[in-house]
Amino acid sequence: MGKQKKTRKYATMKRMLSLRDQRLKEKDRLKPKKKEKKDPSALKEREVPQYPSCLFFQYNTQLGPPYHILVDTNFINFSIKAKLDLVQSMMDCLYAKCIPCITDCVMAEIEKLGQKYRVALRIAKDPRFERLPCTHKGTYADDCLVQRVTQHKCYIVATVDRDLKRRIRKIPGVPIMYISNHRYNIERMPDDYGAPRF
């Protein structure tokens, strides 16, 4: 008589005692959870982030010439590819004075890219660019830019990164500058930002 074949059982686990099992000692046993009854007459509290005072509905009152533009790493690289002068092209787009701002994270990212991107590094070290110090740990520029823009809504964000654009669109009152058709374009910018205020 041949040996009977046994089918192997896949993904079987060792049987374990439940923490509520009677065979366990009292101290090792899991205590039954008591549900707290909610008082229906008590006031419900929930945390809502404070609405920024600079916004009049979706209109950002802090934005006005001279524009401060937060520049992302890939924006500089794509500008070089499209043969665009950063400051001049920004002025052509917005018809006003523009101050490009570079955070320490973006600078660190460009430095990490190495010898291949030395032109981008030279452009980033331009004296016309304003340097913004970072206080957080790490050099992930996307989180830094989103956090900075959430706190201070006086910036326009210049980026080509799709994920970063998606994150910034969720923040009200922050326009996005991007590259298309070999020129800079602006997204979510009302017409009368550049108009003089009386």
Side-chain angles (χ1 to χ4, degrees):
M1 227 172 150
K3 199 176 179 183
Q4 193 179 6
K5 282 188 178 177
K6 255 189 181 178
T7 54
R8 271 183 74 188
K9 289 181 181 175
Y10 290 97
T12 52
M13 284 180 65
K14 222 184 211 182
R15 292 200 170 209
M16 294 175 75
L17 275 177
S18 166
L19 290 174
R20 289 195 180 86
D21 202 299
Q22 297 297 324
R23 290 171 284 184
L24 286 174
K25 288 176 183 167
E26 196 67 42
K27 61 179 172 106
D28 297 330
R29 217 175 285 162
L30 190 71
K31 307 277 188 299
K33 288 180 183 176
K34 291 179 183 177
K35 286 185 179 178
E36 291 178 17
K37 289 183 180 177
K38 289 180 181 176
D39 186 18
S41 61
L43 289 171
K44 290 176 184 174
E45 287 182 16
R46 59 186 186 133
E47 268 192 42
V48 178
Q50 189 185 359
Y51 199 72
S53 58
C54 65
L55 291 180
F56 179 74
F57 295 108
Q58 291 285 317
Y59 182 86
N60 190 348
T61 54
Q62 280 187 351
L63 272 180
Y67 294 108
H68 291 266
I69 298 164
L70 278 176
V71 182
D72 191 23
T73 315
N74 54 24
F75 190 79
I76 297 174
N77 294 336
F78 276 85
S79 297
I80 294 165
K81 268 186 192 171
K83 294 184 176 141
L84 293 166
D85 177 28
L86 246 82
V87 180
Q88 191 57 49
S89 300
M90 284 174 183
M91 286 183 180
D92 292 343
C93 177
L94 292 169
Y95 302 115
K97 189 184 177 190
C98 300
I99 303 162
C101 305
I102 284 201
T103 60
D104 288 346
C105 299
V106 174
M107 204 62 147
E109 268 188 8
I110 297 169
E111 284 169 1
K112 269 186 196 171
L113 290 172
Q115 195 66 19
K116 195 178 174 186
Y117 293 90
R118 62 185 180 277
V119 179
L121 186 63
R122 193 180 294 167
I123 288 170
K125 287 182 175 175
D126 193 316
R128 294 176 294 178
F129 282 43
E130 193 178 302
R131 189 77 181 271
L132 302 172
C134 293
T135 50
H136 60 84
K137 285 183 179 178
T139 58
Y140 187 55
D142 288 13
D143 288 346
C144 174
L145 294 176
V146 170
Q147 186 187 353
R148 198 175 283 271
V149 157
T150 312
Q151 287 172 349
H152 315 286
K153 295 195 186 315
C154 57
Y155 296 110
I156 296 169
V157 180
T159 184
V160 195
D161 188 359
R162 200 172 287 165
D163 293 329
L164 182 57
K165 274 193 208 172
R166 199 174 291 133
R167 284 173 72 181
I168 288 167
R169 281 189 197 111
K170 291 175 187 170
I171 306 165
V174 180
I176 301 165
M177 186 178 275
Y178 61 97
I179 303 168
S180 70
N181 299 332
H182 292 278
R183 58 193 290 266
Y184 292 169
N185 286 320
I186 202 104
E187 188 181 298
R188 292 197 318 178
M189 185 84 153
D191 297 330
D192 55 344
Y193 267 128
R197 289 165 177 75
F198 297 105

